Amino acid sequence: MAQSDHELLGAWQGGDDKAGSELVRRYFARIWSFFDGKVASNVDDLAQRTFLACTAARERIDPERSFRTYLFGIARKQLLQHYARLHRDSGIGELGEQSLDVLERSPSQLVAHHRDQKLLVRALRSIPLDLQIVIELFYWEEMPLGEIAGVVEIPEGTVKSRLFRAKELLRARIDALASSPELARTTMDDLERWSKSLRG
Amino acid sequence: MAIDAPDDLDRQIREDRPRPSPELGLALANVESKLFGRPRPAMTVQRYVLLHRVASGGIGTVFAAYDPELDRRVALKLLRGARGGTEGATLLAEEARALAKLAHPNVITVHDAGIYDPASLDPLLEQPSVDRHPGVFVVMELVSGPTLARWTADAQPRVRAIVEVFIAAAAGLAAAHGAGLVHHDFKPDNVIVGDDGRVRVIDFGLARAVGRVETGVVAGTPLYMAPEQHRGAATDARADQYAFCVALAEAVLGRSPFAAEGITELVAAKAHGPPALDPRKVPRWLRRILARGLAVAADDRHRDMNAIAAALRDGLARPRRIAIVGGTALAAAIVAVVARAGAARCEDPREHLVGTWDDARRTELQAAFAATDVPWAADSLRRVEHSFDAFAAAWVREHTAACEATLVSRTATSGDMTAKMVCLERQLVCLDGIASTLAGGGAAVSERAVDQAAQLPSPAECASAAGRERVVDETDRARVLDAERGFAAAETYTLAGDWRRATQTLDDIADAVAALDHPPTTIRAAMLRADALREAGRLEQAVEGLYVAWNAAEAANEHELAVRALVGLVLVEGHELRRLDVADRHATLALSKLAARDVGPAITSDLQRNLGVLRLDQARHDEAAQALQNAAQIVEGAFGADHPRLTVVLVALGGLEASRGDFVGALATQRRVLELLTAQLGEHHPRIAVAQINLGASLRMVGDYAQAEAMSKRALDIFVAAYGPEHPHVVSALNNYAAVLIGMGREAEALEHLQRALALRVKHLGPDAAALATIESNLGALLQEMGRLDDAIVHNLRAVELRMKHLGNAHPETAGARVNLAANLLALGRLEDARQETDACMTAYEATYGVDSPLLAEPLRIQGEIELAAGDTATAVTHFERAVRIADTQHADPLVEGDARFGLARAIVAIDPVRALALAHVADAEWASFAPTHHRRARLHAWIAAHERHEATASPD
């Protein structure tokens, strides 16, 4: 019988590596992809820290709470800490409100890493980080609104409006990108589709 | 699950979720090994062991991998999204293997390719992380180095470097096309500029793998896509060519060549035709090549990539085909010689001199000089011809040497030869500029003809032109030559004093200079203009021009030109406009620049010389002497001991020594100057006269009146012959001559000359000019000697007045005028007034020259006479003793020395008659060696006689 996430975690915290390995494998793809789409390097490192942080917590987490939420919450914190270190000397302000384009500003990386990404992914990088996370959790992880609130640390009631705002912002950014010269340098899989969808 | 009704955006957000990376398996193994200490299982694709991710892009992920069979590191690319299932994958793998067969230095070497099962990379994951479709991998050489995109962004390379990289890429494309492979997605991201210097095109044909190359599907990288690609039509190698040209244009421009805001606009712009490219950034030859490559219809483009590569290579080498002035196309000759297989002869370069320096021009020059009808014309002509002949001979030698080095002995490249030929060409037009200006006659032919000819550069400099010389295309070449010729002509006119024609010449070439848009040329033009303004006497404008030049040089990072501008400012703003503090700052800055980077002996010696003049003006005599001696040393070392540059320095040095009272030193220097100038200019040249005047003044100061008289007379004669009896230059000759005559006791003659001199100077400069003071002072001294004290005092007072007005109270020249005035007042019995003058004079002299300067002897002597006349013998003795000591040890004017001794004798005769008489005899002896009929001596003899009689009668029996 497959153990629940909580059971595995408990066992792992108790020293059972096999349980830990099992748990890691369940979530590795998602956590790793969460980081891979954002940071330019150290993806493995951040993933590793996220999982390690689980074992560091002494007390058992509430079994009612979703482990997934807990894990993504840690991942988000790791990400923010990563940027805090990166931008230690600049007065960058509230990290969650900065977009990746700003947080990951590095000319050579912009040139090399992102020129081949899809328009949507490029647009996501240009909206505030926390809004991007909300979009990803909702559409790709299919996480319930309540869980999203837990990950991003906002009141549950505000998630819906957050999501709405994120979508509008995304739409505007996609529009802007589609008519910008930068688009011309992006490898497109199907230009027709984009032109059509934007017009319609 | 949607917030409200699902819309298009919702769907697309889900659809465009990035696919999981094939790297996941590797990453998981990595993290697990760190968390749980398990040894990482090797992730392998067939035999290749994946090490770590190197890059990821649209087509796939690249890993560094290890090939255990061949024991080497490789790059392994896992392609994602392979369409068409197994069949499609197989097709692609075949194509990749075809690429592997192609071995070309500019195409990435492909070692292996094949199909792999993505699931094999992560067998233990709960969720499938990659497609179930079979994947394709390609094994390539592992290259380190930036992509072309990154390289152009980071290194900001120049056009030449960019074109060279693209030529290599073109070669790679050409090779692949030859093997039947089309890239379909050429762009700067797909070219690697290897750290090993080799350019490689990557990701060939892999666009097909991800299903982008199908008729009807529009996919690719929009900016680089050919118009037919946008339409979804079939594409071939010529689409690669289009992409190549877009990429090249983008690299040179630094931005997209199309002025378009979005995809739709972009497509429209391309359909419109090849875009216009900024001519400031893209050379004309390159614009032509790109225009063809970006033709809308594929049929209108270049034949193939080889044709483009050849055209680009030709473009870079293009300036080889330059023709030289004079009618014969030099470079055509070069090309012809090079083309002839095995040709090893260089043609006779003398043909190129025709029209510039040939018999016809020689005749013109002779006529021009003869027409001036001045005494020095023949000498100058001879020397100018000599300079031109020497230049021509050296030029021919260098030309032959350059040609043979490349074509015969093959020790130099053709690039070297081109650079040398361009340098020689420029030098030849410089000669043309000078020769044509002089041959034109009129005011251009001047006293300074020798200097004008000395402008010529040294052809030997062209031997090291490779790497320094800027080689330009046809249009610019004509402009460069016009500019060089114009510069030489303008400088020739300025040296002749014809600043109007100089300015005109610069105006004539202004358009060419502007069109060249080459900062050093523009700055040189600005400095020549400033020179002309200076010659015109418009000093403020000249200074302004030099500031403009200086700023431009700083902005353009032209170190040498900046120093040259500063050196000019030191002289004009300092010496001529007397803004000594400002000039000091300029000098300091120039020195620090030279310390940072050397600019050669000519400019360095100019700076030291101008610095010397500045220090002299600032009355910092030791530093002035040091600077001028530095200048002399540099010039001698670099140009030889008889170079005209040395003369200028020595003249300044002589002047310095004279003003400090070091007449012995001044004599030596000035004799040398005279020698040099006579050798350079012949005996009739006015500048000889100037040197003779200076020398004469020093001779007079050391008491050699006979020689001084000869010099001064000769100088006067030269000037009168050269300029006519009323010319301003004649005035200083008269002044000098008169001073000598005074010293010799020929007072009536001297008076005549001085009065004439004064009248002329007032006529030329007006009654209040500073330059009148010298003559007034001399007149005062003379009239006093002649006993006409009341007449004298008028002039002496005027002299002091003028000096005070123009130079201020503390200036040593004002003090000098006071000396004469004091002597005058003393003679008139106005002791208190006399005392005031000597006090003021002593203060100024001591402050300027120190307490031991020989110039103090005279004012001290006068102080002595004043006190003697006032009855204060003790103080008188103090003054006289000091005067004698200084005059004796510091080699003051013997007249002054004698006067001082005589004064002392009279002061102490009552106390120590023996010593007094001894002093008197010494004075007499000194005076005996010159001016034997001087009335001073008569007075002295009378005194001696009187006191010896007295001694005789007073001696005890």
Side-chain angles (χ1 to χ4, degrees):
Chain A
M1 190 191 81
Q3 289 174 288
S4 76
D5 293 339
H6 291 277
E7 285 163 345
L8 286 175
L9 179 62
W12 187 14
Q13 281 168 337
D16 181 354
D17 273 356
K18 197 153 171 291
S21 175
E22 176 81 26
L23 189 59
V24 165
R25 285 181 181 212
R26 274 188 196 173
Y27 287 98
F28 187 77
R30 280 178 286 192
I31 294 296
W32 194 89
S33 301
F34 174 82
F35 288 116
D36 188 41
K38 295 180 183 60
V39 301
S41 57
N42 301 66
V43 176
D44 287 5
D45 195 46
L46 286 165
Q48 189 189 323
R49 280 176 200 250
T50 304
F51 287 107
L52 261 182
C54 298
T55 59
R58 284 293 150 200
E59 75 287 356
R60 302 174 69 95
I61 60 168
D62 180 2
E64 294 305 307
R65 261 188 85 194
S66 149
F67 175 71
R68 179 174 67 163
T69 311
Y70 173 65
L71 193 61
F72 269 100
I74 296 178
R76 175 178 165 273
K77 284 212 194 62
Q78 286 293 327
L79 187 65
L80 290 174
Q81 272 175 34
H82 168 78
Y83 287 127
R85 275 192 299 271
L86 210 59
H87 294 276
R88 184 176 26 222
D89 294 327
S90 65
I92 199 163
E94 195 59 47
L95 290 166
E97 283 166 22
Q98 306 298 329
S99 70
L100 280 179
D101 278 342
V102 169
L103 292 169
E104 284 282 333
R105 170 151 292 138
S106 159
S108 44
Q109 261 123 19
L110 280 172
V111 166
H113 192 57
H114 302 300
R115 272 163 69 131
D116 269 342
Q117 287 183 348
K118 292 186 192 287
L119 198 63
L120 172 79
V121 175
R122 295 269 296 279
L124 276 174
R125 297 185 70 84
S126 71
I127 66 174
L129 182 57
D130 273 339
L131 291 182
Q132 176 184 358
I133 292 176
V134 165
I135 295 256
E136 288 180 12
L137 293 177
F138 183 76
Y139 288 98
W140 299 346
E141 291 298 321
E142 302 195 335
M143 214 182 254
L145 295 178
E147 277 193 46
I148 295 179
V151 171
V152 190
E153 293 175 308
I154 51 174
E156 197 173 322
T158 63
V159 180
K160 202 164 163 180
S161 58
R162 232 15 117 90
L163 192 53
F164 185 76
R165 184 172 147 230
K167 268 184 71 180
E168 290 315 304
L169 204 48
L170 195 60
R171 197 193 302 274
R173 288 296 157 81
I174 291 173
D175 272 342
L177 274 177
S179 58
S180 82
E182 259 315 291
L183 185 67
R185 293 198 181 80
T186 312
T187 313
M188 306 296 291
D189 268 337
D190 192 342
L191 287 167
E192 285 294 319
R193 169 161 74 87
W194 273 112
S195 340
K196 272 200 211 116
S197 68
L198 292 168
R199 269 182 261 125
Chain B
M1 190 183 180
I3 302 296
D4 28 51
D7 60 13
D8 270 355
L9 185 56
D10 283 339
R11 196 185 66 240
Q12 275 149 19
I13 295 176
R14 287 202 179 88
E15 265 181 35
D16 283 340
R17 177 182 186 173
R19 276 195 283 248
S21 163
E23 196 188 342
L24 258 181
L26 200 60
L28 173 61
N30 192 20
V31 170
E32 275 200 319
S33 71
K34 291 211 179 97
L35 284 175
F36 308 115
R38 263 181 242 149
R40 246 183 52 186
M43 309 292 301
T44 61
V45 172
Q46 291 195 0
R47 71 175 193 260
Y48 305 98
V49 180
L50 301 183
L51 298 174
H52 58 86
R53 179 171 72 181
V54 165
S56 73
I59 283 190
T61 315
V62 183
F63 293 86
Y66 174 69
D67 177 355
E69 212 166 289
L70 294 171
D71 188 25
R72 65 180 177 191
R73 282 168 40 108
V74 294
L76 193 145
K77 187 160 210 161
L78 294 179
L79 299 167
R80 51 169 164 246
R83 290 203 197 163
T86 316
E87 201 183 296
T90 315
L91 213 63
L92 172 71
E94 267 170 29
E95 194 163 306
R97 283 195 205 104
L99 201 62
K101 289 205 200 88
L102 173 70
H104 189 276
N106 299 120
V107 177
I108 192 113
T109 311
V110 171
H111 299 305
D112 193 5
I115 301 174
Y116 79 103
D117 178 7
S120 68
L121 285 180
D122 47 9
L124 302 168
L125 283 179
E126 217 175 70
Q127 303 164 353
S129 62
V130 294
D131 290 316
R132 282 290 162 211
H133 297 285
V136 177
F137 72 92
V138 182
V139 180
M140 308 168 283
E141 56 173 315
L142 187 61
V143 183
S144 77
T147 60
L148 182 56
R150 180 92 167 266
W151 177 69
T152 41
D154 290 349
Q156 309 260 327
R158 306 182 75 155
V159 174
R160 173 170 285 269
I162 293 176
V163 172
E164 281 171 356
V165 167
F166 270 85
I167 288 175
L173 278 174
H177 291 166
L181 295 162
V182 179
H183 195 292
H184 290 297
D185 195 13
F186 183 88
K187 54 182 175 175
D189 289 311
N190 282 341
V191 178
I192 306 236
V193 182
D195 288 341
D196 61 355
R198 242 191 323 138
V199 174
R200 296 169 181 80
V201 182
I202 64 173
D203 280 358
F204 258 98
L206 300 179
R208 196 188 296 280
V210 291
R212 289 191 185 134
V213 187
E214 289 166 21
T215 325
V217 174
V218 181
T221 312
L223 178 60
Y224 308 98
M225 281 160 63
E228 60 268 25
Q229 267 178 301
H230 283 294
R231 290 197 303 273
T235 58
D236 58 20
R238 293 171 303 177
D240 279 353
Q241 190 190 123
Y242 192 94
F244 176 90
C245 290
V246 175
L248 176 49
E250 183 191 28
V252 173
L253 288 170
R255 52 166 193 77
S256 163
F258 300 103
E261 280 282 307
I263 307 282
T264 329
E265 265 187 61
L266 182 68
V267 177
K270 288 187 191 176
H272 197 63
L277 301 170
D278 187 350
R280 287 171 304 176
K281 292 198 178 149
V282 188
R284 194 160 48 123
W285 58 270
L286 186 54
R287 291 205 299 276
R288 270 185 289 179
I289 295 174
L290 289 173
R292 190 165 164 196
L294 295 171
V296 182
D299 287 336
D300 291 341
R301 296 174 201 153
H302 298 264
R303 192 185 64 238
D304 55 24
M305 290 311 299
N306 276 323
I308 293 191
L312 289 173
R313 250 181 243 117
D314 274 346
L316 283 184
R318 214 173 176 287
R320 202 176 276 164
R321 300 196 180 89
I322 294 178
I324 269 197
V325 106
T328 343
L330 169 66
I334 294 178
V335 172
V337 171
V338 170
R340 255 182 281 142
R345 281 195 321 114
C346 284
E347 325 219 328
D348 187 352
R350 275 175 294 187
E351 235 178 83
H352 298 292
L353 296 171
V354 171
T356 299
W357 181 236
D358 53 14
D359 286 336
R361 192 149 265 176
R362 196 184 291 265
T363 312
E364 279 174 36
L365 201 67
Q366 285 163 349
F369 272 76
T372 63
D373 200 23
V374 286
W376 69 85
D379 280 330
S380 289
L381 172 65
R382 208 170 39 246
R383 285 167 175 85
V384 168
E385 279 184 281
H386 176 76
S387 294
F388 286 177
D389 287 334
F391 175 87
W395 192 91
V396 165
R397 261 200 313 275
E398 280 308 319
H399 190 284
T400 309
C403 178
E404 288 181 351
T406 297
L407 297 183
V408 178
S409 58
R410 297 190 186 278
T411 49
T413 67
S414 45
D416 288 345
M417 182 171 159
T418 310
K420 290 174 196 168
M421 289 306 174
V422 170
C423 173
L424 285 169
E425 186 179 36
R426 275 202 304 109
Q427 291 200 349
L428 195 60
V429 297
C430 185
L431 172 62
D432 189 35
I434 302 171
S436 62
T437 307
L438 289 177
V445 180
S446 70
E447 283 172 31
R448 305 198 65 183
V450 173
D451 291 329
Q452 290 162 322
Q455 281 181 72
L456 283 171
S458 161
E461 284 171 14
C462 289
S464 57
R468 270 195 297 117
E469 194 63 44
R470 195 176 78 112
V471 175
V472 298
D473 71 14
E474 275 307 302
T475 331
D476 279 351
R477 178 186 148 255
R479 292 182 183 132
V480 165
L481 296 180
D482 281 344
E484 283 295 340
R485 195 182 293 109
F487 287 164
E491 205 168 326
T492 306
Y493 280 127
T494 303
L495 283 170
D498 192 351
W499 59 270
R500 279 200 187 79
R501 279 221 185 74
T503 313
Q504 182 63 51
T505 310
L506 289 168
D507 286 341
D508 289 341
I509 56 169
D511 283 341
V513 171
L516 278 173
D517 197 18
H518 182 232
T521 310
T522 316
I523 296 167
R524 279 171 69 197
M527 295 213 284
L528 283 168
R529 215 174 264 279
D531 279 346
L533 285 167
R534 181 175 157 219
E535 187 60 35
R538 297 192 185 153
L539 298 174
E540 290 291 354
Q541 284 178 288
V543 164
E544 206 184 294
L546 283 170
Y547 269 108
V548 168
W550 174 34
N551 278 326
E554 293 285 359
N557 219 12
E558 290 286 333
H559 182 77
E560 184 182 314
L561 286 169
V563 175
R564 272 174 59 186
L566 283 168
V567 170
L569 278 168
V570 170
L571 190 66
V572 183
E573 224 177 347
H575 182 62
E576 302 191 20
L577 284 173
R578 295 273 151 176
R579 297 207 277 255
L580 300 178
D581 287 336
V582 177
D584 200 311
R585 285 202 292 277
H586 292 320
T588 309
L589 180 57
L591 283 167
S592 72
K593 279 181 182 294
L594 281 183
R597 188 152 42 112
D598 187 39
V599 290
I603 302 175
T604 313
S605 64
D606 281 348
L607 175 59
Q608 287 294 328
R609 185 201 65 214
N610 290 358
L611 180 63
V613 171
L614 173 65
R615 293 286 179 247
L616 180 54
D617 289 335
Q618 289 173 315
R620 284 155 66 171
H621 294 101
D622 287 330
E623 291 174 62
Q626 185 62 58
L628 289 171
Q629 269 148 18
N630 286 345
Q633 249 178 359
I634 296 172
V635 171
E636 269 183 288
F639 300 102
D642 51 6
H643 196 273
R645 280 180 172 275
L646 188 58
T647 327
V648 182
V649 176
L650 290 176
V651 166
L653 194 54
L656 167 65
E657 287 160 333
S659 70
R660 287 169 98 181
D662 176 13
F663 296 109
V664 174
L667 260 180
T669 309
Q670 283 160 347
R671 274 196 220 281
R672 201 162 152 218
V673 169
L674 190 56
E675 251 174 59
L676 285 171
L677 284 178
T678 312
Q680 284 167 20
L681 303 171
E683 282 183 354
H684 303 281
H685 200 282
R687 236 194 288 166
I688 303 290
V690 174
Q692 282 167 339
I693 289 175
N694 290 342
L695 183 52
S698 297
L699 284 165
R700 177 165 54 86
M701 294 313 268
V702 300
D704 187 348
Y705 278 86
Q707 273 222 43
E709 202 236 337
M711 287 277 147
S712 305
K713 184 84 182 51
R714 178 96 196 97
L716 182 58
D717 289 341
I718 290 178
F719 271 152
V720 170
Y723 298 125
E726 298 248 316
H727 196 276
H729 287 341
V730 173
V731 173
S732 46
L734 282 169
N735 195 27
N736 249 276
Y737 189 40
V740 175
L741 289 171
I742 293 172
M744 297 171 83
R746 287 154 64 174
E747 284 147 3
E749 284 175 68
L751 185 60
E752 211 183 287
H753 290 309
L754 273 181
Q755 284 167 335
R756 195 164 129 226
L758 186 61
L760 279 175
R761 196 155 265 181
V762 169
K763 186 172 167 189
H764 295 132
L765 301 175
D768 264 320
L772 293 172
T774 317
I775 310 179
E776 295 280 11
S777 205
N778 289 346
L779 268 168
L782 174 59
L783 286 163
Q784 199 185 326
E785 287 285 312
M786 293 168 84
R788 289 161 60 175
L789 298 174
D790 295 310
D791 293 332
I793 202 141
V794 171
H795 291 291
N796 279 324
L797 281 168
R798 186 90 182 103
V800 173
E801 194 189 322
L802 284 168
R803 287 259 163 87
M804 276 225 342
K805 177 177 172 188
H806 291 283
L807 298 174
N809 210 9
H811 201 280
E813 282 178 54
T814 313
R818 287 196 199 283
V819 173
N820 285 356
L821 181 57
N824 207 163
L825 289 163
L826 171 62
L828 284 169
R830 289 160 61 176
L831 298 181
E832 188 47 47
D833 290 337
R835 219 180 259 122
Q836 269 184 19
E837 295 300 329
T838 53
D839 282 345
C841 167
M842 285 296 291
T843 311
Y845 269 171
E846 279 178 325
T848 307
Y849 299 115
V851 298
D852 272 328
S853 168
L855 294 165
L856 292 174
E858 179 66 356
L860 278 167
R861 178 193 74 80
I862 296 175
Q863 279 183 324
E865 295 289 355
I866 293 172
E867 299 316 323
L868 200 54
D872 182 357
T873 317
T875 315
V877 168
T878 315
H879 287 314
F880 280 129
E881 290 277 20
R882 194 171 159 209
V884 168
R885 183 177 54 78
I886 287 180
D888 193 15
T889 57
Q890 304 295 332
H891 306 288
D893 182 346
L895 271 180
V896 173
E897 199 179 329
D899 281 339
R901 281 192 214 278
F902 189 24
L904 183 55
R906 281 179 287 117
I908 63 171
V909 71
I911 318 161
D912 186 352
V914 175
R915 186 172 169 228
L917 277 170
L919 282 166
H921 279 295
V922 171
D924 190 34
E926 271 175 6
W927 285 349
S929 61
F930 65 95
T933 59
H934 208 278
H935 65 73
R936 258 187 182 77
R937 251 187 118 197
R939 193 179 154 214
L940 180 63
H941 286 171
W943 187 86
I944 291 174
H947 286 272
E948 275 175 342
R949 234 182 294 124
H950 186 259
E951 271 295 291
T953 57
S955 59
D957 8 45

